[in-house]
Amino acid sequence: MTADPATELFEEHRPLLTGVAYRMLGRVADAEDVVQEAWLRWSSAPRDDVREPRAFLVRVTTRLAVDRLRHLGSRRESYVGTWLPEPVATDYGQRAPDAADRAVLADSVSLAVLVVLESLSPLERAVFVLREAFGFPYAEIAGALDRTEAAVRQLAGRARRHVEERRPRYDVDPAERRDLTERFLAAASGGDIERLLALLAPDVRLVSDSGGKAKAPRRTIETADKVGRFLFEVARKRGPLGELRLAEFNGGAAVVFSVGKKPDTFFQIEVRDGRIQCAYIINNPDKLFGVPVE
């Protein structure tokens, strides 16, 4: 059965809407809820009143995401341990954008950037995502947020400065990142602590997110010796149990550790000057529910 034109038009824009909502909210489930609500509003909107469907859908999605972000703020204040975004697969396959566009999209969805975006106000975050990740003109962003263009430019400048001041500087070569991930796994699984330590920058950081629902450090671990020995001990205790899968998430290589066909732990690194500068571990089961294991 052929979908009606309204449904086809919405589905055409769904990837864009989901991308905007995820970058604002940091959780796939929240993003999908927002997009579903946008669909309900779109399906009931009088067609004669919608002259530019794309602008209408972006406006509705952005406003819904801003409202939800305000609601989520109090929930995250009581979050147990460090909060990290929910991993999202970014293997574009045959739909891959060109190299320049892919680099921009990968950076805007990286864990490091999404963590920094958490410190922005909902409006600043909306402006930053629409402008920096998707290149929307200021006039269109102003319409989406019901603000003047001058106000949007001020929000954009403030958000950009804030992100630049706090965003860590990492190398973005996908091949190098994947190579270091594979070498790290080989060293950890092979019990070679010295080889593992050699891959870590002296000031490496390990950030974990369990939400209080699994065993994980609630504070950031720093320095190569502490991070290396912690990860080595984790690998040693797990032994041969479970399966490992290397795939692309949030714009870079990552590892999904599964037990009984269910995702158990997500692991990803950031690289600078040929060494691991930061490692992320997510084992909050609520954030791994949608992570594929094969």
Short mmCIF file of all heavy atoms in Angstrom, two decimals, residues 145-198:
data_model
loop_
_atom_site.label_atom_id
_atom_site.label_comp_id
_atom_site.label_asym_id
_atom_site.label_seq_id
_atom_site.Cartn_x
_atom_site.Cartn_y
_atom_site.Cartn_z
N LEU A 145 12.35 29.26 16.90
CA LEU A 145 12.35 29.52 18.34
C LEU A 145 11.51 30.72 18.75
O LEU A 145 11.45 31.06 19.93
CB LEU A 145 13.80 29.71 18.83
CG LEU A 145 14.72 28.51 18.68
CD1 LEU A 145 16.15 28.87 19.08
CD2 LEU A 145 14.22 27.34 19.52
N ASP A 146 10.87 31.35 17.76
CA ASP A 146 10.05 32.52 18.03
C ASP A 146 10.87 33.61 18.73
O ASP A 146 10.44 34.20 19.72
CB ASP A 146 8.83 32.15 18.87
CG ASP A 146 7.77 33.25 18.86
OD1 ASP A 146 7.76 34.06 17.91
OD2 ASP A 146 6.96 33.29 19.81
N ARG A 147 12.06 33.85 18.19
CA ARG A 147 12.94 34.90 18.72
C ARG A 147 13.35 35.80 17.54
O ARG A 147 13.22 35.42 16.38
CB ARG A 147 14.21 34.30 19.35
CG ARG A 147 13.96 33.45 20.59
CD ARG A 147 13.49 34.31 21.76
NE ARG A 147 13.49 33.58 23.02
CZ ARG A 147 12.53 32.78 23.43
NH1 ARG A 147 11.50 32.54 22.64
NH2 ARG A 147 12.58 32.18 24.61
N THR A 148 13.89 36.97 17.85
CA THR A 148 14.38 37.82 16.78
C THR A 148 15.70 37.26 16.27
O THR A 148 16.40 36.51 16.98
CB THR A 148 14.61 39.26 17.27
OG1 THR A 148 15.66 39.25 18.25
CG2 THR A 148 13.33 39.84 17.88
N GLU A 149 16.06 37.63 15.05
CA GLU A 149 17.32 37.16 14.50
C GLU A 149 18.50 37.69 15.31
O GLU A 149 19.50 36.98 15.51
CB GLU A 149 17.45 37.59 13.04
CG GLU A 149 18.66 37.01 12.34
CD GLU A 149 18.68 37.29 10.86
OE1 GLU A 149 17.60 37.54 10.27
OE2 GLU A 149 19.78 37.27 10.27
N ALA A 150 18.38 38.91 15.80
CA ALA A 150 19.45 39.49 16.62
C ALA A 150 19.65 38.67 17.90
O ALA A 150 20.78 38.40 18.33
CB ALA A 150 19.14 40.94 16.96
N ALA A 151 18.54 38.28 18.52
CA ALA A 151 18.63 37.48 19.75
C ALA A 151 19.26 36.12 19.47
O ALA A 151 20.06 35.61 20.27
CB ALA A 151 17.24 37.31 20.35
N VAL A 152 18.91 35.52 18.33
CA VAL A 152 19.47 34.23 17.96
C VAL A 152 20.98 34.33 17.72
O VAL A 152 21.74 33.46 18.11
CB VAL A 152 18.75 33.68 16.71
CG1 VAL A 152 19.53 32.52 16.10
CG2 VAL A 152 17.35 33.22 17.08
N ARG A 153 21.40 35.40 17.08
CA ARG A 153 22.83 35.60 16.85
C ARG A 153 23.58 35.72 18.18
O ARG A 153 24.71 35.21 18.32
CB ARG A 153 23.07 36.83 15.98
CG ARG A 153 22.68 36.63 14.52
CD ARG A 153 22.95 37.89 13.70
NE ARG A 153 22.60 37.70 12.31
CZ ARG A 153 23.38 37.19 11.38
NH1 ARG A 153 24.62 36.82 11.72
NH2 ARG A 153 22.99 37.04 10.13
N GLN A 154 22.99 36.39 19.14
CA GLN A 154 23.61 36.51 20.46
C GLN A 154 23.70 35.15 21.14
O GLN A 154 24.74 34.80 21.72
CB GLN A 154 22.82 37.48 21.34
CG GLN A 154 22.97 38.94 20.95
CD GLN A 154 22.25 39.86 21.91
OE1 GLN A 154 21.32 39.45 22.61
NE2 GLN A 154 22.66 41.12 21.95
N LEU A 155 22.62 34.38 21.07
CA LEU A 155 22.62 33.04 21.65
C LEU A 155 23.68 32.16 20.98
O LEU A 155 24.39 31.41 21.64
CB LEU A 155 21.24 32.40 21.49
CG LEU A 155 20.13 32.89 22.41
CD1 LEU A 155 18.77 32.41 21.92
CD2 LEU A 155 20.37 32.42 23.84
N ALA A 156 23.78 32.27 19.66
CA ALA A 156 24.74 31.46 18.91
C ALA A 156 26.17 31.81 19.30
O ALA A 156 27.01 30.92 19.50
CB ALA A 156 24.54 31.67 17.41
N GLY A 157 26.46 33.10 19.42
CA GLY A 157 27.80 33.53 19.80
C GLY A 157 28.16 33.06 21.20
O GLY A 157 29.28 32.56 21.43
N ARG A 158 27.21 33.19 22.12
CA ARG A 158 27.46 32.76 23.50
C ARG A 158 27.66 31.25 23.57
O ARG A 158 28.57 30.76 24.25
CB ARG A 158 26.29 33.20 24.38
CG ARG A 158 26.54 33.00 25.87
CD ARG A 158 25.62 33.87 26.70
NE ARG A 158 24.21 33.54 26.50
CZ ARG A 158 23.30 34.40 26.05
NH1 ARG A 158 23.64 35.65 25.75
NH2 ARG A 158 22.04 34.04 25.92
N ALA A 159 26.83 30.51 22.87
CA ALA A 159 26.95 29.05 22.88
C ALA A 159 28.26 28.60 22.24
O ALA A 159 28.94 27.70 22.75
CB ALA A 159 25.77 28.43 22.13
N ARG A 160 28.63 29.22 21.14
CA ARG A 160 29.85 28.84 20.44
C ARG A 160 31.07 29.08 21.31
O ARG A 160 31.99 28.24 21.40
CB ARG A 160 29.98 29.61 19.13
CG ARG A 160 31.05 29.07 18.20
CD ARG A 160 31.13 29.89 16.92
NE ARG A 160 29.86 29.92 16.21
CZ ARG A 160 29.10 31.01 16.09
NH1 ARG A 160 29.48 32.17 16.61
NH2 ARG A 160 27.97 30.96 15.42
N ARG A 161 31.13 30.24 21.98
CA ARG A 161 32.26 30.54 22.86
C ARG A 161 32.33 29.53 24.01
O ARG A 161 33.42 29.06 24.38
CB ARG A 161 32.13 31.96 23.41
CG ARG A 161 32.40 33.05 22.38
CD ARG A 161 32.55 34.40 23.04
NE ARG A 161 31.33 34.81 23.74
CZ ARG A 161 30.32 35.46 23.17
NH1 ARG A 161 30.36 35.78 21.88
NH2 ARG A 161 29.26 35.80 23.87
N HIS A 162 31.19 29.22 24.56
CA HIS A 162 31.14 28.28 25.68
C HIS A 162 31.65 26.90 25.26
O HIS A 162 32.45 26.28 25.97
CB HIS A 162 29.70 28.17 26.19
CG HIS A 162 29.55 27.33 27.41
ND1 HIS A 162 29.63 27.82 28.69
CD2 HIS A 162 29.33 25.99 27.55
CE1 HIS A 162 29.46 26.85 29.56
NE2 HIS A 162 29.28 25.72 28.89
N VAL A 163 31.20 26.44 24.11
CA VAL A 163 31.61 25.13 23.62
C VAL A 163 33.11 25.11 23.30
O VAL A 163 33.82 24.17 23.64
CB VAL A 163 30.79 24.72 22.39
CG1 VAL A 163 31.35 23.44 21.75
CG2 VAL A 163 29.32 24.51 22.77
N GLU A 164 33.59 26.15 22.64
CA GLU A 164 35.01 26.21 22.28
C GLU A 164 35.90 26.23 23.52
O GLU A 164 36.99 25.66 23.53
CB GLU A 164 35.28 27.45 21.42
CG GLU A 164 34.71 27.35 20.01
CD GLU A 164 35.25 26.16 19.25
OE1 GLU A 164 36.46 25.90 19.34
OE2 GLU A 164 34.47 25.47 18.58
N GLU A 165 35.43 26.90 24.58
CA GLU A 165 36.23 26.97 25.80
C GLU A 165 36.30 25.63 26.52
O GLU A 165 37.30 25.29 27.15
CB GLU A 165 35.62 28.02 26.75
CG GLU A 165 35.81 29.46 26.28
CD GLU A 165 35.03 30.44 27.12
OE1 GLU A 165 34.29 29.98 28.05
OE2 GLU A 165 35.12 31.66 26.87
N ARG A 166 35.23 24.84 26.42
CA ARG A 166 35.14 23.61 27.20
C ARG A 166 35.36 22.33 26.40
O ARG A 166 35.60 21.27 26.97
CB ARG A 166 33.77 23.52 27.89
CG ARG A 166 33.51 24.66 28.84
CD ARG A 166 32.34 24.35 29.74
NE ARG A 166 32.11 25.42 30.71
CZ ARG A 166 31.34 25.29 31.78
NH1 ARG A 166 30.73 24.14 32.02
NH2 ARG A 166 31.17 26.30 32.62
N ARG A 167 35.26 22.43 25.07
CA ARG A 167 35.38 21.21 24.26
C ARG A 167 36.83 20.75 24.24
O ARG A 167 37.72 21.49 23.85
CB ARG A 167 34.90 21.47 22.84
CG ARG A 167 35.15 20.28 21.92
CD ARG A 167 34.41 20.38 20.62
NE ARG A 167 34.57 21.64 19.94
CZ ARG A 167 33.90 22.00 18.85
NH1 ARG A 167 33.01 21.18 18.34
NH2 ARG A 167 34.12 23.16 18.29
N PRO A 168 37.08 19.50 24.61
CA PRO A 168 38.45 18.96 24.53
C PRO A 168 38.89 18.87 23.07
O PRO A 168 38.07 18.69 22.17
CB PRO A 168 38.31 17.56 25.15
CG PRO A 168 37.03 17.59 25.91
CD PRO A 168 36.14 18.53 25.17
N ARG A 169 40.19 19.01 22.85
CA ARG A 169 40.74 18.91 21.50
C ARG A 169 41.23 17.49 21.23
O ARG A 169 42.17 17.03 21.86
CB ARG A 169 41.90 19.91 21.35
CG ARG A 169 41.49 21.36 21.49
CD ARG A 169 40.48 21.74 20.42
NE ARG A 169 40.03 23.11 20.58
CZ ARG A 169 39.08 23.67 19.84
NH1 ARG A 169 38.48 22.96 18.91
NH2 ARG A 169 38.70 24.92 20.04
N TYR A 170 40.54 16.82 20.33
CA TYR A 170 40.93 15.46 19.98
C TYR A 170 41.19 15.37 18.48
O TYR A 170 40.63 16.12 17.69
CB TYR A 170 39.81 14.47 20.33
CG TYR A 170 39.48 14.42 21.80
CD1 TYR A 170 38.16 14.54 22.24
CD2 TYR A 170 40.46 14.24 22.76
CE1 TYR A 170 37.83 14.48 23.59
CE2 TYR A 170 40.15 14.18 24.11
CZ TYR A 170 38.84 14.30 24.51
OH TYR A 170 38.53 14.25 25.85
N ASP A 171 42.05 14.41 18.09
CA ASP A 171 42.24 14.11 16.67
C ASP A 171 41.00 13.37 16.16
O ASP A 171 40.37 12.62 16.90
CB ASP A 171 43.48 13.23 16.47
CG ASP A 171 44.75 13.91 16.97
OD1 ASP A 171 44.75 15.16 17.04
OD2 ASP A 171 45.71 13.20 17.28
N VAL A 172 40.68 13.59 14.88
CA VAL A 172 39.45 13.01 14.36
C VAL A 172 39.69 12.03 13.21
O VAL A 172 38.76 11.71 12.47
CB VAL A 172 38.47 14.12 13.90
CG1 VAL A 172 38.00 14.92 15.08
CG2 VAL A 172 39.15 15.02 12.86
N ASP A 173 40.90 11.53 13.06
CA ASP A 173 41.18 10.56 12.00
C ASP A 173 40.50 9.24 12.35
O ASP A 173 40.91 8.55 13.29
CB ASP A 173 42.69 10.36 11.88
CG ASP A 173 43.07 9.41 10.74
OD1 ASP A 173 42.16 8.72 10.23
OD2 ASP A 173 44.25 9.35 10.39
N PRO A 174 39.45 8.85 11.62
CA PRO A 174 38.72 7.62 11.95
C PRO A 174 39.60 6.37 11.93
O PRO A 174 39.44 5.47 12.76
CB PRO A 174 37.62 7.56 10.88
CG PRO A 174 37.49 8.96 10.37
CD PRO A 174 38.87 9.55 10.46
N ALA A 175 40.52 6.31 10.96
CA ALA A 175 41.36 5.12 10.85
C ALA A 175 42.29 4.99 12.06
O ALA A 175 42.47 3.89 12.60
CB ALA A 175 42.19 5.20 9.57
N GLU A 176 42.86 6.10 12.50
CA GLU A 176 43.75 6.06 13.67
C GLU A 176 42.97 5.68 14.92
O GLU A 176 43.44 4.89 15.76
CB GLU A 176 44.44 7.41 13.87
CG GLU A 176 45.40 7.43 15.04
CD GLU A 176 46.04 8.79 15.25
OE1 GLU A 176 45.36 9.81 14.98
OE2 GLU A 176 47.19 8.84 15.72
N ARG A 177 41.80 6.23 15.05
CA ARG A 177 40.96 5.94 16.22
C ARG A 177 40.59 4.47 16.28
O ARG A 177 40.64 3.84 17.33
CB ARG A 177 39.70 6.81 16.15
CG ARG A 177 38.91 6.92 17.44
CD ARG A 177 37.80 7.92 17.23
NE ARG A 177 36.96 8.05 18.39
CZ ARG A 177 35.85 8.77 18.39
NH1 ARG A 177 35.48 9.44 17.31
NH2 ARG A 177 35.10 8.85 19.48
N ARG A 178 40.24 3.92 15.12
CA ARG A 178 39.88 2.51 15.07
C ARG A 178 41.10 1.63 15.36
O ARG A 178 41.01 0.64 16.09
CB ARG A 178 39.30 2.17 13.69
CG ARG A 178 38.73 0.75 13.60
CD ARG A 178 38.14 0.48 12.22
NE ARG A 178 37.47 -0.81 12.18
CZ ARG A 178 36.20 -1.00 12.44
NH1 ARG A 178 35.43 0.04 12.78
NH2 ARG A 178 35.65 -2.21 12.38
N ASP A 179 42.25 2.02 14.81
CA ASP A 179 43.47 1.25 15.03
C ASP A 179 43.84 1.22 16.51
O ASP A 179 44.17 0.16 17.04
CB ASP A 179 44.61 1.86 14.21
CG ASP A 179 45.93 1.16 14.48
OD1 ASP A 179 46.06 -0.04 14.15
OD2 ASP A 179 46.84 1.81 15.03
N LEU A 180 43.76 2.38 17.17
CA LEU A 180 44.09 2.43 18.59
C LEU A 180 43.08 1.62 19.42
O LEU A 180 43.45 1.00 20.41
CB LEU A 180 44.12 3.88 19.08
CG LEU A 180 45.49 4.57 19.02
CD1 LEU A 180 45.36 6.03 19.41
CD2 LEU A 180 46.48 3.87 19.94
N THR A 181 41.82 1.65 19.01
CA THR A 181 40.81 0.86 19.71
C THR A 181 41.14 -0.63 19.61
O THR A 181 41.09 -1.36 20.61
CB THR A 181 39.41 1.11 19.11
OG1 THR A 181 39.08 2.50 19.23
CG2 THR A 181 38.35 0.29 19.83
N GLU A 182 41.51 -1.08 18.43
CA GLU A 182 41.85 -2.49 18.23
C GLU A 182 43.11 -2.87 19.00
O GLU A 182 43.18 -3.96 19.61
CB GLU A 182 42.02 -2.77 16.74
CG GLU A 182 40.72 -2.66 15.95
CD GLU A 182 40.92 -2.82 14.45
OE1 GLU A 182 42.09 -2.64 14.00
OE2 GLU A 182 39.95 -3.11 13.75
N ARG A 183 44.11 -1.99 18.98
CA ARG A 183 45.34 -2.26 19.72
C ARG A 183 45.09 -2.30 21.23
O ARG A 183 45.67 -3.11 21.97
CB ARG A 183 46.41 -1.22 19.37
CG ARG A 183 46.96 -1.38 17.96
CD ARG A 183 47.65 -0.13 17.48
NE ARG A 183 48.76 0.26 18.34
CZ ARG A 183 49.35 1.45 18.30
NH1 ARG A 183 48.91 2.37 17.44
NH2 ARG A 183 50.35 1.72 19.09
N PHE A 184 44.24 -1.43 21.69
CA PHE A 184 43.90 -1.41 23.11
C PHE A 184 43.22 -2.72 23.51
O PHE A 184 43.56 -3.33 24.54
CB PHE A 184 42.97 -0.23 23.43
CG PHE A 184 42.44 -0.25 24.82
CD1 PHE A 184 43.17 0.30 25.86
CD2 PHE A 184 41.22 -0.84 25.12
CE1 PHE A 184 42.69 0.26 27.16
CE2 PHE A 184 40.74 -0.88 26.41
CZ PHE A 184 41.47 -0.34 27.44
N LEU A 185 42.26 -3.16 22.71
CA LEU A 185 41.56 -4.41 23.00
C LEU A 185 42.53 -5.59 23.02
O LEU A 185 42.43 -6.47 23.88
CB LEU A 185 40.46 -4.65 21.98
CG LEU A 185 39.22 -3.77 22.08
CD1 LEU A 185 38.28 -4.04 20.92
CD2 LEU A 185 38.51 -4.02 23.41
N ALA A 186 43.45 -5.62 22.07
CA ALA A 186 44.42 -6.71 22.01
C ALA A 186 45.30 -6.72 23.25
O ALA A 186 45.58 -7.79 23.82
CB ALA A 186 45.28 -6.57 20.75
N ALA A 187 45.74 -5.54 23.69
CA ALA A 187 46.60 -5.47 24.87
C ALA A 187 45.84 -5.87 26.13
O ALA A 187 46.36 -6.61 26.98
CB ALA A 187 47.16 -4.05 25.01
N ALA A 188 44.60 -5.38 26.26
CA ALA A 188 43.81 -5.67 27.46
C ALA A 188 43.45 -7.15 27.53
O ALA A 188 43.60 -7.80 28.57
CB ALA A 188 42.55 -4.81 27.48
N SER A 189 42.96 -7.71 26.41
CA SER A 189 42.55 -9.11 26.41
C SER A 189 43.74 -10.05 26.49
O SER A 189 43.62 -11.19 26.96
CB SER A 189 41.72 -9.42 25.16
OG SER A 189 42.49 -9.18 23.99
N GLY A 190 44.91 -9.59 26.03
CA GLY A 190 46.10 -10.42 26.07
C GLY A 190 46.87 -10.33 27.37
O GLY A 190 47.90 -11.00 27.53
N GLY A 191 46.41 -9.49 28.28
CA GLY A 191 47.06 -9.38 29.58
C GLY A 191 48.38 -8.63 29.55
O GLY A 191 49.21 -8.79 30.45
N ASP A 192 48.58 -7.80 28.53
CA ASP A 192 49.84 -7.07 28.39
C ASP A 192 49.69 -5.66 28.96
O ASP A 192 49.37 -4.71 28.26
CB ASP A 192 50.24 -7.01 26.92
CG ASP A 192 51.66 -6.53 26.71
OD1 ASP A 192 52.20 -5.88 27.64
OD2 ASP A 192 52.22 -6.77 25.64
N ILE A 193 49.91 -5.50 30.27
CA ILE A 193 49.69 -4.22 30.94
C ILE A 193 50.65 -3.14 30.44
O ILE A 193 50.26 -1.99 30.28
CB ILE A 193 49.80 -4.38 32.48
CG1 ILE A 193 49.49 -3.05 33.18
CG2 ILE A 193 51.17 -4.92 32.86
CD1 ILE A 193 48.10 -2.56 33.02
N GLU A 194 51.88 -3.51 30.15
CA GLU A 194 52.85 -2.52 29.69
C GLU A 194 52.48 -1.99 28.31
O GLU A 194 52.59 -0.80 28.03
CB GLU A 194 54.26 -3.13 29.66
CG GLU A 194 54.79 -3.50 31.04
CD GLU A 194 54.80 -2.32 32.00
OE1 GLU A 194 55.11 -1.19 31.54
OE2 GLU A 194 54.50 -2.51 33.19
N ARG A 195 52.04 -2.89 27.46
CA ARG A 195 51.61 -2.47 26.12
C ARG A 195 50.37 -1.59 26.20
O ARG A 195 50.23 -0.64 25.45
CB ARG A 195 51.33 -3.72 25.29
CG ARG A 195 50.96 -3.46 23.83
CD ARG A 195 50.72 -4.79 23.13
NE ARG A 195 50.12 -4.62 21.83
CZ ARG A 195 49.51 -5.58 21.17
NH1 ARG A 195 49.43 -6.79 21.71
NH2 ARG A 195 48.98 -5.36 19.98
N LEU A 196 49.49 -1.93 27.12
CA LEU A 196 48.27 -1.14 27.31
C LEU A 196 48.62 0.27 27.79
O LEU A 196 48.11 1.27 27.27
CB LEU A 196 47.35 -1.83 28.30
CG LEU A 196 45.95 -1.25 28.51
CD1 LEU A 196 44.98 -2.35 28.92
CD2 LEU A 196 45.95 -0.17 29.57
N LEU A 197 49.51 0.36 28.79
CA LEU A 197 49.89 1.66 29.34
C LEU A 197 50.56 2.54 28.29
O LEU A 197 50.41 3.76 28.31
CB LEU A 197 50.82 1.47 30.53
CG LEU A 197 50.18 0.88 31.80
CD1 LEU A 197 51.25 0.58 32.84
CD2 LEU A 197 49.15 1.84 32.37
N ALA A 198 51.27 1.92 27.35
CA ALA A 198 51.97 2.68 26.32
C ALA A 198 51.00 3.37 25.36
O ALA A 198 51.37 4.33 24.68
CB ALA A 198 52.91 1.76 25.53
#
